[in-house]
Amino acid sequence: MSQPQYSERTIRFLILLIFLAAAMETDIYLPAFPDMMHAYATNELMIQRVLSFNFLGVCLASLIYGPASDSFGRKKVLNIGYFLFVVASFGCVFANTIETLIFWRFIQGFGSAACMIIGAAVVFDMYKAEKAAKLVGDLNSLVVSIIAFAPMIGGWINYQLGYHYNFLFIAALSLVTGAICFSKLPESLAMEKRKPFRVKAIGGNYLTVLKSSEFWANTIVTTMIFAGYMVFVSNMSLIFVDKLGVHKAHFPFYQFSLLIAFVIASVNSGRLIDWFGLNKMRNLGYIVLIASALFMWAMPVSWQQDPLIVTAVMVVYSFGAGICIGIFFTRSMEAVPNQTGVSASLVTSIRLALVAIIIDISSDMYDGTMTTVVQIVAYCTIASIIAYGANELIQAKKHSEVLN
């Protein structure tokens, strides 16, 4: 099939556009949560569902887009996802009740998932494995940087113009990037490489991965690390601005500090792994994360209510997470040979489903202080330790049986 010939720079730009709006649509709203809660006359539980239901949308879509694009082509499925993303983004702009907003945020997540999943697939379609891996690494660094700056942009928009303009910004961005990708992005999956869409075969592949204890252990560790981070970040604006007196113009800097720590660790993790080795960096990052979460849990309550102290400790947690979470994620994908794509979809889906549930639980437990949030971060960390320890015992037992 004849396709337009583009330079590598142009392909990189188009793929970055695919990721751009989807990378921003989650975090850009977080600084506006206090204003949104007051505007919609709702409570903390419902405002947190603006985030958790978005995750549920991504979770469900993650199981569909990968196999569908393997059968029907990347561009066709991406266009369908983009259409849902754009429509839902404008739906958020005009939502006049919190229930309507939550509905559109769910659809927005369902649509935006196509950008994240198919964007990576396009890279591996167009380039050989080594070059594709390097390009994905470069794009991940850019995407993580975009995510880090999204709350700064969202906080500025909210302070200067109001929270509605965050919705309008994402709607306009998704429309523009979607239109460019629709008209310029080539189909990357040739007809002869497409697979029949067989539900039974796809279900069998998912079941094979789900039977792996190593997959589950690394997925749970990844999920609990991410959950601890998201519970803190999603409650941060509500508590810091409404309860602890942080000015909403200053709040984005607190959130930005967590994200930039994660970015610095993520961007440099490859170099650190080359220097010190994969297992050493995984263990170092994980130990830093555990120590910071448990220290924050053990701090006096007065320290837990101090925005500067609690943010400083979470910066350390974020740095540790940035070093180790990618390694645990990779271990999940490699747990079952020849099922990397299925594993990636399942990791994404399971992670976001559990994180959405945990955010909902944290919202129900919300008491207006950081203490409950700190406790949930600690519980998530302890759950990850249990999963990690159980997997180490299982792998040691398997190794012993092989030797005997």
Side-chain angles (χ1 to χ4, degrees):
M1 183 167 53
S2 176
Q3 292 289 348
Q5 295 299 308
Y6 293 116
S7 67
E8 185 176 320
R9 179 177 294 181
T10 302
I11 294 296
R12 281 174 176 258
F13 175 71
L14 290 171
I15 293 171
L16 179 60
L17 286 184
I18 296 174
F19 283 104
L20 184 61
M24 296 187 73
E25 65 96 8
T26 299
D27 287 351
I28 196 169
Y29 305 112
L30 296 181
F33 270 10
D35 288 348
M36 289 165 62
M37 188 171 68
H38 298 314
Y40 287 107
T42 189
N43 56 34
E44 291 81 5
L45 175 62
M46 294 300 286
I47 209 68
Q48 293 280 14
R49 286 180 175 169
V50 172
L51 178 63
S52 61
F53 272 67
N54 182 262
F55 282 169
L56 286 176
V58 178
C59 158
L60 293 176
S62 297
L63 299 174
I64 299 169
Y65 287 133
S69 70
D70 285 341
S71 299
F72 306 115
R74 309 301 187 203
K75 189 168 182 178
K76 186 180 292 185
V77 177
L78 177 64
N79 288 339
I80 292 170
Y82 243 127
F83 175 77
L84 292 173
F85 187 15
V86 171
V87 169
S89 296
F90 279 98
C92 291
V93 172
F94 297 106
N96 54 12
T97 67
I98 190 65
E99 291 81 10
T100 306
L101 178 62
I102 290 169
F103 168 78
W104 285 120
R105 282 286 285 161
F106 173 81
I107 303 299
Q108 191 180 46
F110 197 96
S112 70
C115 303
M116 307 302 286
I117 291 166
I118 295 174
V122 168
V123 175
F124 283 93
D125 289 340
M126 302 188 78
Y127 299 101
K128 292 183 179 179
E130 187 175 339
K131 191 169 186 178
K134 186 177 184 303
L135 181 54
V136 167
D138 292 343
L139 287 168
N140 280 340
S141 297
L142 284 170
V143 168
V144 169
S145 299
I146 291 165
I147 293 171
F149 280 96
M152 295 289 289
I153 296 169
W156 183 87
I157 291 172
N158 182 55
Y159 183 63
Q160 296 293 333
L161 304 171
Y163 71 90
H164 264 110
Y165 284 86
N166 276 319
F167 298 136
L168 189 59
F169 175 79
I170 291 297
L173 186 62
S174 63
L175 180 62
V176 171
T177 58
I180 294 171
C181 290
F182 178 79
S183 61
K184 298 295 184 183
L185 185 73
E187 173 55 63
S188 61
L189 187 65
M191 289 294 296
E192 60 271 17
K193 293 185 177 179
R194 298 184 189 182
K195 304 173 184 176
F197 191 82
R198 296 193 180 109
V199 174
K200 187 175 181 180
I202 294 166
N205 291 337
Y206 281 140
L207 189 61
T208 298
V209 174
L210 290 172
K211 288 179 179 177
S212 168
S213 60
E214 187 171 1
F215 168 82
W216 274 109
N218 285 287
T219 297
I220 290 171
V221 173
T222 303
T223 298
M224 291 300 114
I225 291 171
F226 185 61
Y229 177 82
M230 286 309 304
V231 164
F232 188 91
V233 168
S234 64
N235 282 280
M236 205 174 174
S237 61
L238 295 172
I239 297 174
F240 278 32
V241 175
D242 274 3
K243 306 296 182 182
L244 302 182
V246 174
H247 195 281
K248 66 180 181 180
H250 301 153
F251 169 74
F253 293 98
Y254 288 87
Q255 193 170 18
F256 178 74
S257 65
L258 305 185
L259 291 161
I260 203 65
F262 186 88
V263 168
I264 291 170
S266 298
V267 169
N268 290 287
S269 62
R271 189 179 297 110
L272 293 170
I273 288 168
D274 289 339
W275 289 347
F276 301 108
L278 188 70
N279 288 334
K280 282 185 179 179
M281 289 314 302
R282 179 197 63 180
N283 294 338
L284 175 62
Y286 195 37
I287 288 168
V288 167
L289 180 150
I290 291 169
S292 57
L294 297 183
F295 174 77
M296 187 165 60
W297 191 26
M299 289 192 313
V301 172
S302 59
W303 289 18
Q304 292 174 356
Q305 311 313 313
D306 187 306
L308 288 174
I309 293 175
V310 78
T311 301
V313 179
M314 274 304 292
V315 163
V316 179
Y317 179 100
S318 300
F319 188 83
I323 292 173
C324 69
I325 197 169
I327 301 172
F328 284 116
F329 180 79
T330 302
R331 289 286 174 86
S332 295
M333 293 198 299
E334 294 175 344
V336 181
N338 303 318
Q339 296 290 353
T340 304
V342 171
S343 297
S345 292
L346 281 172
V347 171
T348 302
S349 184
I350 293 167
R351 179 180 65 188
L352 293 178
L354 290 178
V355 169
I357 292 168
I358 292 168
I359 288 174
D360 229 40
I361 292 170
S362 75
S363 303
D364 200 41
M365 294 172 62
Y366 179 82
D367 64 356
T369 72
M370 285 303 299
T371 300
T372 302
V373 176
V374 167
Q375 287 173 347
I376 294 173
V377 173
Y379 297 156
C380 288
T381 304
I382 292 167
S384 77
I385 294 170
I386 293 169
Y388 178 83
N391 184 56
E392 289 296 303
L393 290 173
I394 291 170
Q395 296 308 314
K397 184 178 179 181
K398 286 181 179 178
H399 183 67
S400 177
E401 288 172 354
V402 170
L403 293 177
N404 293 331

